Amino acid sequence: MDEPLRLTLLYSANIAGDLKLLPRLYTFLRQLQPLERQHTLLLDLGRSCRADIAHCRETGGRSTLIVLDGMGYHAANIAGALDRENRDKLAEIVTMGLVDETEEWIYCVPPIRDPSIRVTLRPRDDGARLQVILKPAASTRIEGNALYLEEVGAGQVGEAVIDLRGAPCLLRASIHPMPPDTPPNPSIAGAVEFVEAEARYYARQAR
């Protein structure tokens, strides 16, 4: 069976509803991705929305996650961000994995599907080759087959490179601050405008 022997993870966290950040973040992620992108995962460690932000409130926490899906993210931590109704609504329109206390994401980057690599909120003793723990940790490290990722702030991208030719081995871990002059991607800027317009529509319907 084909399987990745080296895996690059790029991840964000603490976006907190700042949709204007995302077009620039997309440009930065594209700059950081290696030329061979097949074995690169884009992940979000959570806290993507805030209840006091209008578009987050009007969409039940779905707004930022919809844009992340459009940016090509593979999985996001939604624990505490969505109730069951909004989780089900989001699952109907996105392709990325929605990871919470009950659901995990199994590595699936076409043409490869590898059930031995899982993205989850807590490690499990189930024989997986690699378990990526999708919530912020104090440092990036591997314990057994569990990979923990250091917390990053909004406007930062974490990176971890893993060798999988045997027991998982952390080759490199970095946190990259996004340069202030990073230009926004027009397509993602358009997606943000669409999501904001949808949130305003929901607000009008609720009156």
Side-chain angles (χ1 to χ4, degrees):
M1 179 184 70
D2 289 334
E3 59 184 25
L5 300 178
R6 180 170 169 149
L7 188 62
T8 299
L9 291 83
L10 298 174
Y11 65 91
S12 57
N14 295 303
I15 294 170
D18 186 2
L19 293 183
K20 300 302 183 188
L21 175 72
L22 298 184
R24 296 173 56 238
L25 182 63
Y26 180 78
T27 298
F28 189 43
L29 285 167
R30 297 283 289 187
Q31 293 170 352
L32 290 173
Q33 287 186 36
L35 293 177
E36 175 49 69
R37 296 177 182 172
Q38 181 176 340
H39 302 321
T40 300
L41 294 184
L42 298 182
L43 306 172
D44 187 76
L45 272 57
R47 301 174 189 149
S48 59
C49 252
R50 279 176 26 194
D52 61 333
I53 302 292
H55 65 78
C56 293
R57 183 174 60 253
E58 301 300 340
T59 63
R62 289 174 281 135
S63 49
T64 304
L65 293 163
I66 290 171
V67 181
L68 292 181
D69 182 67
M71 292 167 63
Y73 273 63
H74 294 94
N77 177 353
I78 64 163
L82 302 174
D83 59 22
R84 174 52 62 177
E85 179 183 0
N86 280 294
R87 188 194 195 288
D88 291 344
K89 287 180 179 179
L90 187 61
E92 293 177 355
I93 61 172
V94 301
T95 59
M96 70 178 179
L98 305 178
V99 178
D100 57 19
E101 294 86 353
T102 61
E103 298 289 338
E104 60 183 13
W105 181 76
I106 292 174
Y107 183 97
C108 185
V109 181
I112 298 174
R113 184 179 188 275
D114 188 341
S116 72
I117 300 176
R118 302 177 185 179
V119 177
T120 183
L121 290 192
R122 58 179 57 85
R124 302 176 185 178
D125 185 15
D126 57 5
R129 183 159 58 119
L130 176 68
Q131 299 183 84
V132 180
I133 309 306
L134 199 63
K135 58 184 178 181
S139 62
T140 298
R141 65 192 189 277
I142 290 179
E143 296 181 2
N145 67 353
L147 170 65
Y148 296 86
L149 299 170
E150 182 175 355
E151 184 164 17
V152 295
Q156 295 180 321
V157 173
E159 178 184 20
V161 181
I162 312 300
D163 188 332
L164 292 171
R165 293 173 297 179
C169 176
L170 179 63
L171 299 178
R172 183 173 75 250
S174 308
I175 294 178
H176 305 282
M178 182 169 62
D181 60 348
T182 302
N185 177 273
S187 296
I188 302 304
V192 166
E193 291 177 2
F194 175 80
V195 167
E196 290 177 329
E198 285 288 289
R200 291 191 293 269
Y201 170 78
Y202 293 142
R204 291 193 300 270
Q205 294 295 105
R207 290 172 187 163

